[in-house]
């Protein structure tokens, strides 16, 4: 089945640091990737939709200058949390979608970000 | 707008018990419906899907039938195992008439399932 690799799985860093998370589709080309944030014991909140070769579309309330998204190729999207603060600590999950209609999203294993 | 409502959890069952997790939805267009499972500390895995009315998705003993008349997609399994303990998410992806898919998923709140030996 389709595999999405997300790296790193866990990051612990100091306040003010910028953190980059990578999302790769390993065996298919993903024109669209999605970035989610999940708070403990809650559902996933869509942050942005990343389209290859174009600017990401951010959901209402998500700061695009805080959460930089780059989708430079059909197999790689990156999320950079700039100048991270403790309130940015969360579980971040990416997903990638096969081409074509009604194709499911395949999810990475998530990144646990802890800002001290 | 689109929304997904799942039954309140957590759900606690004994091994080999029958499982039902209810899911209802509201959507414009012709949604595709999904069940995802999340094990502790991991991302989501697609469990099953259905893309049109009356379709039945099935995988690993789990089943769900797309019921347009009741706007439901309830998850069932005849005999659960301890290894089924996880969080289950119902989700929809709205599709316009003509087959164009938005791609964006709308998730339910998740249902925690714990299965005891």
């Amino acid at each position: 089945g389709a595999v999405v690799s997300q790296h790193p799985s866990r990051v612990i860093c100091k306040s003010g640091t910028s953190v980059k998370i990578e999302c790769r589709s390993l065996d298919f080309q993903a024109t669209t990737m999605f970035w989610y944030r999940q708070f403990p014991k809650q559902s996933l909140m869509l942050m942005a939709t990343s389209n290859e070769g174009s600017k990401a579309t951010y959901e209402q309330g998500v700061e695009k200058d805080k959460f930089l998204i780059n989708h430079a190729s059909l197999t790689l999207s990156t999320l950079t949390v700039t100048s991270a603060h403790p309130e940015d600590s969360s579980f971040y999950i990416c997903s990638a979608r096969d081409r074509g209609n009604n194709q499911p999203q395949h999810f990475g294993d998530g990144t646990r970000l802890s800002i001290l | 707008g689109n929304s997904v409502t799942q039954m309140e959890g957590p759900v606690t069952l004994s091994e080999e018990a029958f499982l039902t997790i209810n899911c209802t939805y509201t959507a414009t267009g012709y949604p595709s419906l999904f069940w995802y499972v999340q094990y502790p500390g991991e991302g989501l895995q697609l469990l099953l899907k259905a893309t049109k009315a009356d379709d039945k998705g099935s995988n690993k003993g789990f089943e769900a039938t797309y019921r347009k008349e009741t706007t439901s997609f309830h998850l069932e399994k005849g005999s659960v195992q301890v290894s089924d303990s996880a969080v289950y998410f119902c989700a929809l992806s709205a599709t316009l008439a003509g087959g164009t898919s938005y791609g964006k998923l709308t998730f339910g709140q998740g249902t925690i399932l714990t299965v005891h030996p």
Side-chain angles (χ1 to χ4, degrees):
Chain A
V3 177
V4 173
S5 173
Q6 189 172 339
H7 179 80
S9 58
R10 186 175 181 90
V11 180
I12 302 173
C13 57
K14 294 181 179 180
S15 184
T17 305
S18 291
V19 179
K20 180 185 283 188
I21 303 169
E22 291 188 349
C23 181
R24 294 179 184 272
S25 57
L26 297 185
D27 55 357
F28 65 97
Q29 292 184 329
T31 54
T32 306
M33 290 185 174
F34 302 87
W35 288 96
Y36 296 86
R37 183 173 181 175
Q38 186 180 31
F39 294 99
K41 297 185 179 180
Q42 294 189 26
S43 190
L44 279 71
M45 180 190 77
L46 179 65
M47 299 175 64
T49 303
S50 170
N51 294 298
E52 188 264 340
S54 64
K55 292 184 178 180
T57 303
Y58 289 82
E59 296 300 302
Q60 191 172 11
V62 178
E63 299 177 60
K64 62 180 180 180
D65 294 331
K66 175 73 171 179
F67 300 99
L68 299 179
I69 291 171
N70 182 276
H71 192 160
S73 77
L74 285 172
T75 60
L76 174 64
S77 177
T78 60
L79 167 68
T80 301
V81 183
T82 61
S83 187
H85 293 286
E87 59 266 28
D88 299 322
S89 299
S90 192
F91 193 54
Y92 293 87
I93 306 176
C94 74
S95 71
R97 183 169 166 266
D98 282 337
R99 296 186 182 201
N101 292 325
N102 298 325
Q103 292 301 311
Q105 291 182 26
H106 300 281
F107 287 79
D109 281 340
T111 298
R112 173 72 59 193
L113 177 61
S114 300
I115 307 298
L116 305 178
Chain B
N2 299 332
S3 68
V4 177
T5 303
Q6 289 180 234
M7 67 183 289
E8 291 282 337
V11 174
T12 303
L13 295 173
S14 297
E15 206 165 25
E16 299 184 1
F18 184 85
L19 168 71
T20 299
I21 301 178
N22 290 339
C23 171
T24 57
Y25 67 91
T26 57
T28 55
Y30 304 89
S32 295
L33 301 173
F34 307 87
W35 276 101
Y36 284 88
V37 58
Q38 184 179 33
Y39 297 100
E42 298 183 9
L44 274 67
Q45 298 177 24
L46 177 64
L47 183 59
L48 53 85
K49 68 171 183 173
T51 58
K52 61 183 187 294
D54 299 325
D55 269 2
K56 177 185 283 188
S58 61
N59 186 28
K60 299 180 181 179
F62 291 90
E63 293 183 341
T65 301
Y66 189 141
R67 302 286 187 198
K68 190 175 181 180
E69 63 275 14
T70 55
T71 62
S72 65
F73 193 55
H74 304 321
L75 182 69
E76 296 182 336
K77 186 175 185 182
S79 176
V80 294
Q81 305 299 313
V82 173
S83 57
D84 294 326
S85 298
V87 182
Y88 292 81
F89 291 95
C90 184
L92 70 82
S93 175
T95 306
L96 293 173
T100 302
S101 172
Y102 288 124
K104 291 170 64 172
L105 286 171
T106 301
F107 285 93
Q109 67 269 39
T111 301
I112 299 172
L113 170 66
T114 303
V115 180
H116 292 297

